[in-house]
Amino acid sequence: IRFGLAAVKNVGVGAIESIISVREQEGPFRSIVDFCDRVDTRKVNKRVIESLIKCGAFDSTGHRRRQLITCFEEIMDKSQRRQRERSSGQVNFLEQIDNHRSVPSAGSHEFALPDLPEWDHKELLLNEKETIGFYITGHPLSHFSDILGIIVNADSSNLSEKHDRETVVLAGIVGNIREVTTKRKDTMAYVTLEDLKGSATVIFFPDVYKTSDDILHGEEPILIRGTLDIAEDSIKVIASEVTLLCSAADKSPHAVYFTVDVNTS
């Protein structure tokens, strides 16, 4: 997936121009140490590096994101010191001796990254969503893909095939919440529910929204039961109940429905 750097959170145009300029002049970056040594660390600061790690921009270096996030500040501090020494004409004598003894293949200075396991899948996805606005390496619903067909009866792609006022059950992740104050000064909300096939708008009237606030503002996949509201130009779901998907998945089904085609032997 090719994704523009300008769309990554905390990565500004100045940082992007510095990165591109160095890469075009000196070739691809071989490691995070090589990257920090070569870019202008006055423009590519620690917030930029952190966001690039979280979104997966350094995955091609062969290191895990958790490894990099644990020690990138130390790596950057050393790179900044070396850059200051170079700009002032100073040379670290001991460092030069080490470089002549052994020249590492993935950067101008060695740095032993801690041998740490990768973040769990949930944290990996949350960091991607935080920095680029969507998931790349997977989706929170993927964990439930084997049982979604049993729990839900609709998704964002087939709501148009349903009937007005029909009861539907959908699963997804809350992508956005837009709160609205009613004439009675109560708070209702328009919630964007994202699933594996797209998104749907779910309306939470004040009484339901008040009891669902904590769940809707969390990070966990949810299950929504509601009624379809089909108009000429839009399809919405009016929510009547919301629960965590993991809780619903743990419950045994209370009924099973079979469809039999009598025309097939």
Side-chain angles (χ1 to χ4, degrees):
I1 296 177
R2 297 178 67 87
F3 191 79
L5 288 176
V8 179
K9 181 180 179 181
N10 298 324
V11 181
V13 175
I16 296 169
E17 290 176 345
S18 173
I19 293 170
I20 294 174
S21 175
V22 172
R23 188 179 61 191
E24 289 179 345
Q25 293 176 23
E26 304 175 19
F29 301 106
R30 295 164 291 177
S31 70
I32 189 171
V33 177
D34 182 43
F35 180 89
C36 292
D37 276 348
R38 289 163 54 189
V39 299
D40 186 345
T41 53
R42 294 168 299 180
K43 297 178 180 179
V44 185
N45 58 33
K46 291 181 180 179
R47 292 183 65 193
V48 172
I49 300 290
E50 181 180 9
S51 293
L52 291 176
I53 292 171
K54 287 183 175 180
C55 76
F58 285 101
D59 287 4
S60 61
T61 64
H63 294 294
R64 295 181 284 273
R65 299 179 196 180
R66 186 181 177 189
Q67 287 180 294
L68 298 175
I69 209 71
T70 301
C71 57
F72 81 94
E73 291 185 339
E74 183 180 354
I75 292 173
M76 197 161 185
D77 288 340
K78 291 182 177 180
S79 293
Q80 288 174 328
R81 185 174 66 249
R82 286 192 288 268
Q83 289 186 13
R84 287 194 298 268
E85 290 172 352
R86 287 197 297 267
S87 64
S88 63
Q90 296 177 8
V91 176
N92 188 317
F93 182 68
L94 295 177
E95 196 171 73
Q96 290 296 315
I97 293 176
D98 289 339
N99 288 341
H100 279 90
R101 287 176 178 172
S102 175
V103 180
S105 60
S108 57
H109 299 88
E110 291 187 78
F111 189 95
L113 295 176
D115 186 16
L116 297 173
E118 184 57 280
W119 288 318
D120 61 43
H121 195 236
K122 177 182 175 182
E123 189 169 5
L124 201 72
L125 294 179
L126 287 177
N127 284 324
E128 289 178 356
K129 186 67 179 291
E130 174 194 344
T131 51
I132 58 180
F134 62 93
Y135 309 107
I136 290 182
T137 56
H139 193 282
L141 288 185
S142 300
H143 179 68
F144 302 94
S145 57
D146 292 341
I147 59 172
L148 279 181
I150 301 174
I151 298 176
V152 306
N153 65 4
D155 57 49
S156 61
S157 70
N158 61 21
L159 289 178
S160 60
E161 302 170 8
K162 305 290 183 180
H163 302 291
D164 188 36
R165 314 310 300 172
E166 183 175 347
T167 299
V168 293
V169 181
L170 305 95
I173 294 290
V174 175
N176 182 60
I177 299 177
R178 180 170 65 88
E179 294 185 343
V180 176
T181 302
T182 67
K183 293 181 180 179
R184 296 183 178 182
K185 306 302 180 183
D186 294 321
T187 302
M188 61 177 289
Y190 291 83
V191 175
T192 301
L193 187 73
E194 301 175 354
D195 59 22
L196 293 170
K197 298 183 179 180
S199 62
T201 300
V202 184
I203 300 175
F204 281 79
F205 286 120
D207 53 342
V208 181
Y209 186 54
K210 187 181 299 182
T211 60
S212 309
D213 185 83
D214 290 343
I215 294 178
L216 293 176
H217 285 86
E219 302 289 348
E220 297 290 333
I222 60 175
L223 189 74
I224 293 177
R225 178 181 294 274
T227 305
L228 269 183
D229 180 20
I230 300 179
E232 290 185 5
D233 57 346
S234 66
I235 301 176
K236 296 180 177 65
V237 177
I238 300 176
S240 59
E241 181 184 354
V242 58
T243 57
L244 291 176
L245 180 56
C246 60
S247 300
D250 290 338
K251 295 180 181 179
S252 300
H254 58 81
V256 178
Y257 298 89
F258 293 93
T259 302
V260 179
D261 186 351
V262 296
N263 295 319
T264 303
S265 56

